[in-house]
């Protein structure tokens, strides 16, 4: 799966292949972590913010529609 594009992985995930999301997660975990480390939320720990970022990634993958997203 390493040689597939993000769009191909999303299509696989939407067709029921949960391993495809694992690959997307692996590709973008560092990016989400990079952006989350600069955020601060009163009462939240860094793991909470990271979890929110990963939920955002999951939602983006789930709602992605080719040709309609930037």
């Amino acid at each position: 799966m390493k040689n597939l594009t993000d769009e191909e992985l999303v299509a696989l995930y939407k067709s029921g292949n949960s391993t495809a999301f694992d690959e997307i997660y692996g590709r973008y975990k560092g990016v989400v972590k990079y952006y989350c480390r600069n955020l601060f939320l009163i009462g939240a720990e860094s793991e909470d913010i990271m979890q929110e970022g990963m939920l955002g990634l999951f939602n983006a993958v789930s709602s992605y529609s080719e040709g309609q997203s930037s």
Side-chain angles (χ1 to χ4, degrees):
M1 284 200 185
K2 302 262 185 220
N3 58 345
L4 297 176
T5 66
D6 293 344
E7 290 82 6
E8 291 170 328
L9 287 170
V10 169
L12 279 174
Y13 171 71
K14 286 187 167 190
S15 70
N17 185 335
S18 62
T19 307
F21 185 79
D22 294 340
E23 177 65 26
I24 294 169
Y25 176 88
R27 287 183 186 184
Y28 287 96
K29 182 179 179 182
V31 174
V32 172
K33 189 173 186 176
Y34 172 80
Y35 284 104
C36 288
R37 72 179 178 168
N38 296 318
L39 299 175
F40 175 77
L41 185 62
I42 294 174
E45 296 185 20
S46 60
E47 293 86 20
D48 297 333
I49 296 171
M50 180 70 177
Q51 185 177 25
E52 287 294 325
M54 290 315 225
L55 283 171
L57 175 64
F58 176 78
N59 288 333
V61 169
S62 297
S63 66
Y64 177 79
S65 184
E66 188 174 347
Q68 297 180 7
S69 299
S70 59

